[in-house]
Amino acid sequence: MGTKKTGSANHLFPRDWRKSYPVVDRGEGIYLWDKDGRRYIDGAGGAAVVTVGHGNREVIEAMRSQAERVCFPYVGNFLSEAQMELADKVISFAPPGMSRVYFVSGGSEATEVAIKIARQYHLLRGKEGKVKIISRWLSYHGATLGALSLSGHSQRRKDYLPYLTDSPHIAPPYCYRCPFELSYPACHIRCAEELERTIKMIGAENIAAFIAEPIIGNTAGAVVPPAEYYPIIRDICDRFDILFLLDEVFTGFGRTGRSFAIDHWGVCPDMLIFGKGISSGYAPLGGVVIHEKIFDVFYHSPSSGFFLGYTYSGNPLACSAGMAVLNYIEKNHLIEECARKGAYLREKASRLKNHPMVGDLRGKGLLLGLELVSSREGKKPFPREMRVAETLTAIAMSKGLLLMSGSGVSDGVAGDHLIIAPPLTITTEELDLLIDLLEASLKEWWGKHQQEDSW
Ligand code: PLP
């Protein structure tokens, strides 16, 4: 155990007990303040959560008004207006053909629901054998055991392997370090064809679904697949009667400059998993958008529902937050603004490409990833023991900039990346400040470590 904390933190089970956390005091716009009065730019929107900024009066008012009416009807007894209105709104953001929404309290729960709906969909059609869900390495679909079984981040999985189900993982569409050592476009999108090869090996009669993040966020630092990738995936899923589950928890509701990131590819999934940005962090909220073709099977089956529910499913207070966030996004054209500001961010950030430790800059809209390398020519990752991404986020935090860091992008263990995903309300002047602080952090790390010979 690390040193015992003073004050009320003594009774918390913290995420990292070696780390000293400041205590947050308040938030406004893109800024958070701690109890010591220090200001931070929320440069990663927490973890790609905050879309409409902190302290948003319209969201707070909507939640206050809902709280004064009712906060908790049990889902087994009532529907709520908040839940119904939000479902309509979510469908208006979703690709055509998506028609139903199942609400839960976050991304992991949403993945669990999608797994169960996929299973039940095939059962109702008499296809009992279609059980397995194929996913990709370098992915993250949540911390609960079903979602973690699908996730392809070896470090997050390793301690819990005995509890995880046997789910096949295929190579990700990661051009910077192509798993097949090919180059685009001569590769003919081998990574997408890998899905077909895997399906044939296992037998389509055993496979329920394929799950993927449209842009790989959390675990790979905003990896964007080539234009052909999702149309090929969609076609393969259709040909083998396999559902395409799309995880938009990190990318949904405007983050990439389109309503959903999959809109960049013009492809429609069978289920779309969401969380984070829909409530901008004002309340725990997530869910699954379901294609009409799936609901149709449920609707015309002898069973009358999907019974494995959650107590907080469709909670009116959470839904009122979601509704106010989506209204705010629409009213202020934040998705169009995100595309515009994303282009600005990319242009400003392009100077970082000259920094010796920046191997790759990628992403879309206000989602930018930096892959950090010890040598740009050989794309050599830093040794994991150096904890480069974590050290850099600590330096940035000391300068008043919050970033998100990740590791394992090269081989599951080594490979550091940083993610920038500020609130969509950020101004171009604030983006300038963010990039200046990021550059100063890279310079500080480099200045301290460039003489070391351990890498
Ligand atoms: N799916 C993706 C793509 C995510 O990035 C995350 C969280 O980072 C999750 C699912 C899990 O969401 P939650 O942490 O809300 O359970």
Side-chain angles (χ1 to χ4, degrees), residues 218-234:
N218 202 316
T219 45
V223 164
V224 184
E228 300 87 337
Y229 183 80
Y230 288 111
I232 297 175
I233 293 289
R234 179 68 272 181

Side-chain angles (χ1 to χ4, degrees), residues 47 106-109 111 140-143 213 218 247-250 276:
S108 305
E109 273 185 11
T111 303
Y140 185 60
H141 301 292
E213 300 159 72
N218 202 316
D247 183 345
E248 290 257 11
V249 170
F250 210 81
K276 295 187 187 263

